[in-house]
Amino acid sequence: MTTRKFTLTDASTGKTSTLEALSPTVGSDVLNIAPLAKDHGVFTFDPGFMSTAACESKITYIDGDKGILLYRGYPVEQLAAKSSFLEVAYLLIYGELPTAAALKEFTLSITRHTMINESLLRFYNGFHYDAHPMAQVSAVVASMAGFYHDSLDINNPRHREIFAHRIIAKMPTISAAAYKHMLGQPFIYPQNSLDYCSNLLHMFFAVPSEQYVVEPVAAKALDLLLILHADHEQNASTSTVRLAGSTGTNPYAAISSGIAALWGPSHGGANEAVLQMLEEIGTADAIPKFLARVKDKNDHTRLMGFGHRVYKNFDPRAKIIREACHAVLEKVGRPDNPLFELALRLEEIALSDEYFVSRKLYPNVDFYSGIIYSALGIPRDMFTVMFAIARTAGWVAHWQELISDPAMKIGRPRQLYTGPTARQYVDIATR
Ligand code: CMC
């Protein structure tokens, strides 16, 4: 393939330079603008990274126009139908689907790392019962650097691997502890005889006073949601993990910063916001009034769970979840879920509304995920935590890719400064 070249001329000086486009294996070419600052003394300005590729990556590919999502080349639809979350985590981190033996070994390692240091458990008592679980989870994950010293040397591949297994294994435990703290119930220790999602549900819903048997249907539905949320290339939280990681900070600190970024309603917090929105709308006859608010420029209401920075046709994850919603609600015995009915109606009305059509706004993964989570008995406050558990696989894969790249540089964007020019300090008496 011939390299595309772009000639840039500074109209004021006549100086030209040639910029080369870098070709990906699939997707749009990426213009290498590195010579710009050297040749012309200018930086590029791209708020929100609307047109900027911040790194090279081999992990996940999205085609927003065609609604394609590939993890290491495998379509998410195939993984959702045939794989499991732990297999997908392995794929993201190691780059290939595991052999049966490799998967067994990986699963065993994850299973053996599920407990957390007892001192970490005491951290939760420092939180009010009504502290948001994302606050608890991000704090506890950041604190892990104070406990697990055998995984802090970022230049040691074995340390990195121990960290990777440990964080994937412990995220459900850390999250369940936050949930139990909110409820005022005793913490339930992990059960290593259970699979990843059954163990997670057991830690959430079991109490010491009676036996709790996990419904396989619920564990399967959760596994599907975790697969669909496992990675999404350079989204805000992953970019945050990369930026923090680029400073050489320890991996627990990097993941904790990703959890913090995920919390926002424009990102992982959207699943919680969708349910809140559906409850606020209440009934189908209130939809037009709500959509009028969404379309009003002076009102900051958004149709949560709609729109995406990259998908401008449909979000393939939303399609899978929408179908799964029907099946899960049937199987957990709540087929006539009023919020699901309302969501379907809202989707139908929005998709035929010129405002959403002209802006290419479609339901995203989180329009439906909250409905499945609530059908599984997971409370709204915990939705974004569930997202964090899943996305930890992606964050770890990206952090590993970043740290093992010999060309890694600290992430340090430039700015368009519009503040005052240099001025003299004025003594307080004369201000
Ligand atoms: N409701 C109403 N209007 C919207 C929405 C929405 N959900 N999303 C975008 N728009 C409008 C926006 O007002 C703008 O209109 P105009 O051109 O008239 O000013 C236009 O569409 C373009 O929007 P934008 O904000 O420039 O688009 P973006 O790419 O910066 O934002 C987004 C993407 C996901 C932040 C946004 O669509 C949004 O806020 N959606 C709701 C929150 C949500 O569901 N987030 C979850 C994303 S998927 C899970 C994840 O990966 O985290």
Side-chain angles (χ1 to χ4, degrees):
M1 189 204 293
T2 46
T3 310
R4 289 169 73 191
K5 292 194 166 92
F6 294 76
T7 305
L8 181 103
T9 307
D10 182 336
S12 54
T13 63
K15 187 174 176 187
T16 59
S17 56
T18 303
L19 302 179
E20 284 193 2
L22 308 171
S23 294
T25 45
V26 54
S28 306
D29 282 354
V30 171
L31 193 62
N32 179 6
I33 50 101
L36 274 184
K38 193 163 62 71
D39 294 354
H40 298 274
V42 292
F43 299 122
T44 50
F45 183 58
D46 184 22
F49 300 105
M50 299 288 288
S51 321
T52 297
C55 65
E56 187 182 322
S57 181
K58 294 182 170 57
I59 301 171
T60 290
Y61 174 71
I62 303 173
D63 183 326
D65 293 325
K66 296 194 184 125
I68 292 172
L69 169 60
L70 310 176
Y71 293 161
R72 298 281 189 183
Y74 294 100
V76 73
E77 292 82 358
Q78 291 182 19
L79 296 167
K82 298 180 177 170
S83 188
S84 67
F85 173 65
L86 280 192
E87 187 178 62
V88 165
Y90 183 102
L91 171 69
L92 289 169
I93 294 168
Y94 294 99
E96 295 297 336
L97 284 170
T99 60
L103 182 60
K104 195 172 165 201
E105 197 186 320
F106 180 66
T107 306
L108 196 68
S109 174
I110 298 296
T111 306
R112 290 269 161 79
H113 279 98
T114 48
M115 283 176 64
I116 57 173
N117 188 296
E118 286 291 306
S119 298
L120 273 176
L121 274 182
R122 289 196 280 278
F123 280 35
Y124 294 88
N125 291 330
F127 285 99
H128 266 265
Y129 73 93
D130 59 355
H132 197 284
M134 286 294 277
Q136 302 183 47
V137 170
S138 57
V140 172
V141 169
S143 308
M144 287 171 77
F147 291 82
Y148 300 106
H149 302 289
D150 59 347
S151 51
L152 296 182
D153 179 0
I154 62 167
N155 298 314
N156 180 330
R158 181 59 192 143
H159 275 222
R160 295 203 296 265
E161 188 170 40
I162 295 171
F163 149 75
H165 292 206
R166 181 174 276 146
I167 190 77
I168 289 171
K170 292 188 196 316
M171 274 300 281
T173 317
I174 290 167
S175 306
Y179 180 46
K180 287 299 191 188
H181 179 68
M182 281 166 63
L183 293 178
Q185 287 182 3
F187 171 68
I188 300 292
Y189 283 92
Q191 294 278 316
N192 289 354
S193 57
L194 297 175
D195 64 75
Y196 192 83
C197 286
S198 301
N199 177 46
L200 192 156
L201 291 170
H202 187 262
M203 286 189 291
F204 271 46
F205 299 123
V207 287
S209 46
E210 57 189 60
Q211 209 199 350
Y212 177 82
V213 181
V214 179
E215 279 185 60
V217 171
K220 183 97 189 68
L222 183 57
D223 200 69
L224 172 69
L225 288 179
L226 297 191
I227 291 174
L228 297 179
H229 284 92
D231 194 42
H232 215 224
E233 50 117 310
Q234 310 309 323
N235 57 86
S237 58
T238 303
S239 298
T240 303
V241 169
R242 278 186 176 266
L243 194 57
S246 78
T247 69
T249 191
N250 73 76
Y252 301 102
I255 298 295
S256 175
S257 63
I259 296 172
L262 185 74
W263 196 353
S266 296
H267 191 8
N271 51 16
E272 189 178 335
V274 168
L275 262 244
Q276 206 165 352
M277 173 188 80
L278 291 173
E279 281 167 14
E280 262 170 44
I281 297 174
T283 50
D285 55 1
I287 292 174
K289 204 168 150 206
F290 176 77
L291 290 185
R293 280 179 55 204
V294 168
K295 293 187 269 181
D296 179 356
K297 283 272 166 232
N298 300 316
D299 190 318
H300 294 294
T301 308
R302 281 206 160 190
L303 178 51
M304 299 311 287
F306 254 68
H308 198 275
R309 170 61 62 80
V310 185
Y311 295 120
K312 300 297 177 196
N313 183 337
F314 67 93
D315 178 341
R317 303 167 303 171
K319 218 169 160 184
I320 299 169
I321 290 201
R322 192 180 190 275
E323 279 163 26
C325 254
H326 284 286
V328 171
L329 294 173
E330 288 283 335
K331 284 181 186 155
V332 296
R334 297 173 215 180
D336 51 353
N337 182 307
L339 288 185
F340 184 46
E341 295 305 320
L342 184 62
L344 286 175
R345 188 76 190 110
L346 180 56
E347 181 193 29
E348 191 186 338
I349 295 176
L351 288 180
S352 58
D353 186 309
E354 192 277 333
Y355 176 94
F356 298 95
V357 173
S358 63
R359 288 170 180 76
K360 299 186 172 180
L361 301 170
Y362 295 87
N364 60 50
V365 66
D366 285 325
F367 193 67
Y368 288 112
S369 64
I371 293 167
I372 301 194
Y373 285 136
S374 27
L376 300 181
I378 294 168
R380 208 202 287 160
D381 278 358
M382 289 298 292
F383 291 176
T384 314
V385 174
M386 307 309 290
F387 194 156
I389 294 171
R391 188 55 57 85
T392 296
W395 292 330
V396 166
H398 283 271
W399 178 82
Q400 286 266 33
E401 184 176 67
L402 169 92
I403 300 295
S404 38
D405 179 359
M408 180 189 78
K409 280 188 187 316
I410 183 170
R412 199 339 185 150
R414 307 305 287 240
Q415 64 172 3
L416 170 65
Y417 176 71
T418 53
T421 54
R423 48 184 169 164
Q424 298 301 314
Y425 179 80
V426 180
D427 195 82
I428 196 160
T430 57
R431 271 177 237 162

